[in-house]
Amino acid sequence: MHFHISRWALIAAGLLFSCAAAQAAVHDTVFRANFEEFAPGDLPANDADAARFLTQATFGPTPQAIADLRRVGFDLWIEQQLSMPITAARPHMEALDVQLRAMTPAQEVNQNQRVDRFYLTALTGRDQLRQRMAWALSQIFVVSDVNGAITNDIIQMSEYWDLLARGGTGTYRQLINDVTFSPTMGKYLSHFRNRRAAGTRLPDENYAREVMQLFSIGLVERNLDFSPILLGGQPVPTYDQDTITEMARLFTGFAYSNAPPNNIFGGTNAPPFGYLPMSCVQGEHDVGTKTVLGDVVLPANQVCGTDVGLMLNVINAHPNVAPFISRQLIQRFTTSTPSPAYIQRVATVFGNNGQGERGDLAAVLRAILMDADARNASPTANFGKLREPVLRLTALWRAWDAVPPAPYLSGNPPVQQPSLDIRISTSSRGMSQTPLRAPTVFNFYVPDFQQPGPIAAAGLFSPEFQITNESSIWAVGNTLYTHSYTGYVGLLERPPGTPVGTPNAPLLTRPSIDLAPLTAVSGNPTAMIDLVNLRMMYGTMTTPTRNALNTMLTTAPLSTASAIDRARSLVHVASLAPEFATQR
């Protein structure tokens, strides 16, 4: 049996490359406050249309989410999502830390438990759009626990995630301010305790460089559609080394919020000071005149907060910010190679949300998802993206209504009260992508990466292919196997009735997918494949994939296998198919 499953997995892996270019539509009237709510096209055309939108806007469609979207329509769904409170990470991690410290022997939270919290929220959180936005922003405003300066700052990093979740529906100006003053970012890009020049000592330039290159304007001047502005046939640089040097002088004097007014090294990271916005210690802030981005002159003898605020205003007003940020957000939600017109439409909303406000990220997000390019039921050949490993895993769970694992109970003597330690991601590591664990400040991949070969030759971009190689394909495939073919057995890992705290009791260590809808039609291969097509591929399954899955189900040993074996084999192989690996 296992030989045949592996064989079909290999066939499906081959389909990923041989079919990657393969192509993949009666509205109910709903009233709110006694007025008809929906404009033409506001309701999904069918379940597949709803599932496609939810693939773009959430961590994966669920049957309930599809039904809800079809009932309320796109606009109201977005409105409801934007108004939801965040499923916060930091309070959970603080409570878990208290619980672990009370155990015998005492323990502390770790970064893997922070990742567990991310996956639990992705699987069960109601604020899907907000959390998906945080995931996108975490790949622009990067911090990473691979950096020794924040490796042990689990609570602080959890607060940084919440900062992105809160800020993702606010304004860009507020978000760049919050990121700048975050002690997590301060430690990661070393403007925390950055000191003014004295003798041979010079201010650290790290944040000064990255706040421009990665967080706001990029390296060259851009038109609103992201095309480069040319002078004499050459791109125009946005800044030079002198600008970085002057900006570095600006970002001096940052310390913990409880630091004494004249002691940058004072204060501690004891809660809540470890995650409260940093303060500016005037005694270590360079108060000289500075000529910064855009040749803007900041006068001498200003307090630190005023200096930094004025500089962030300059960044916020720069014309590059709208196309630079808009393009990357489009890449994270809908397509790797957005058309210039798509970028320009979204960047225009960034510049003015219709009410004269610049940088309204909620309006930008709505514009991305509701753009004609994104909602086109028959997208162009160049539209779409390779699904990130994280999104493939969460989509698999959500497609089959996965149940989170039971809390992990441990200790000596065993903990008798309910635990907050839900170890959901143990077997999902090693996929070349872990939340807030990018290898560098440049993220897991860069926005301009072009896979050598046909993709590059066509002038297309493919960021996610930068972490796609022989090793990662097998790692992701093995992870999907664990959470599909073997996922259903999770409920059996802790035998029913096992007393809490029983030594060496088997533990539920991963979500358990619900395969009942498939086992109910296990005698009908066509019905099984249709259900997989809807839940995992929003109706985009191609004929070659359908034929391969049908042959698998109707060929020994699966043709005579148990209902559960047929179901879990089908989900596993479908998770390796190109229509699931890609997003159209």
Side-chain angles (χ1 to χ4, degrees), residues 69-357:
L69 177 60
R70 293 205 65 187
R71 176 174 53 83
V72 303
F74 298 117
D75 185 71
L76 183 54
W77 184 90
I78 293 174
E79 181 181 317
Q80 291 173 340
Q81 285 286 309
L82 293 176
S83 66
M84 282 186 182
I86 70 169
T87 305
R90 176 182 55 78
H92 174 90
M93 297 306 296
E94 287 178 316
L96 176 58
D97 192 48
V98 169
Q99 189 174 67
L100 293 176
R101 289 175 185 272
M103 293 171 60
T104 304
Q107 303 175 40
E108 297 179 15
V109 291
N110 58 52
Q111 294 288 2
N112 287 336
Q113 289 164 325
R114 173 188 61 76
V115 176
D116 289 335
R117 177 60 178 177
F118 164 85
Y119 276 115
L120 181 63
T121 300
L123 173 58
T124 66
R126 296 182 64 242
D127 55 331
Q128 283 285 304
L129 182 58
R130 185 185 293 275
Q131 294 293 332
R132 181 69 188 273
M133 181 63 153
W135 172 237
L137 292 173
S138 75
Q139 298 187 54
I140 300 174
F141 303 94
V142 174
V143 301
S144 174
D145 65 13
V146 301
N147 185 304
I150 57 175
T151 294
N152 297 318
D153 288 349
I154 294 89
I155 304 299
Q156 291 90 323
M157 290 194 68
S158 298
E159 171 60 23
Y160 186 79
W161 181 270
D162 291 346
L163 179 158
L164 298 178
R166 292 190 301 267
T169 57
T171 65
Y172 172 82
R173 174 62 180 81
Q174 185 62 52
L175 179 61
I176 194 67
N177 179 87
D178 294 346
V179 166
T180 298
F181 281 89
S182 165
T184 305
M185 179 60 77
K187 294 177 185 180
Y188 183 63
L189 288 183
S190 53
H191 61 294
F192 172 71
R193 292 176 174 167
N194 192 21
R195 306 175 70 187
R196 59 183 172 80
T200 59
R201 185 187 69 215
L202 297 174
D204 186 278
E205 296 181 348
N206 210 15
Y207 189 74
R209 178 184 302 105
E210 307 307 357
V211 73
M212 295 185 291
Q213 180 179 349
L214 301 178
F215 301 169
S216 61
I217 63 173
L219 295 175
V220 300
E221 300 285 353
R222 300 280 181 179
N223 294 303
L224 203 58
D225 65 359
F226 198 72
S227 61
I229 295 175
L230 304 179
L231 183 63
Q234 297 298 317
V236 180
T238 48
Y239 60 88
D240 57 18
Q241 180 57 44
D242 289 341
T243 306
I244 296 173
T245 300
E246 291 287 278
M247 294 274 282
R249 295 175 54 212
L250 177 84
F251 295 113
T252 52
F254 287 80
Y256 285 124
S257 61
N258 62 340
N262 293 304
N263 183 2
I264 195 172
F265 293 103
T268 69
N269 68 345
F273 305 108
Y275 57 77
L276 288 177
M278 293 184 290
S279 64
C280 276
V281 174
Q282 191 65 19
E284 285 294 347
H285 179 66
D286 188 323
V287 296
T289 302
K290 308 172 191 70
T291 302
V292 293
L293 183 66
D295 293 328
V296 174
V297 177
L298 301 181
N301 301 315
Q302 295 195 124
V303 297
C304 177
T306 300
D307 252 1
V308 175
L310 290 174
M311 182 63 255
L312 296 180
N313 287 344
V314 171
I315 288 177
N316 183 59
H318 194 287
N320 262 35
V321 173
F324 186 79
I325 297 297
S326 296
R327 183 226 187 189
Q328 289 192 69
L329 289 176
I330 293 171
Q331 287 183 314
R332 299 278 56 80
F333 282 95
T334 59
T335 182
S336 295
T337 308
S339 66
Y342 189 3
I343 297 174
Q344 181 163 339
R345 289 191 293 269
V346 174
T348 298
V349 172
F350 188 107
N352 185 341
N353 65 355
Q355 300 178 3
E357 185 175 20

Side-chain angles (χ1 to χ4, degrees), residues 438-485:
T440 72
V441 72
F442 295 99
N443 192 28
F444 307 103
Y445 31 67
V446 296
D448 293 332
F449 180 77
Q450 296 177 292
Q451 177 73 7
I455 291 178
L460 303 178
F461 299 98
S462 53
E464 295 83 1
F465 274 95
Q466 194 170 2
I467 58 171
T468 303
N469 51 49
E470 184 175 349
S471 176
S472 70
I473 288 172
W474 282 108
V476 172
N478 287 338
T479 298
L480 295 176
Y481 170 83
T482 298
H483 293 282
S484 58
Y485 185 78

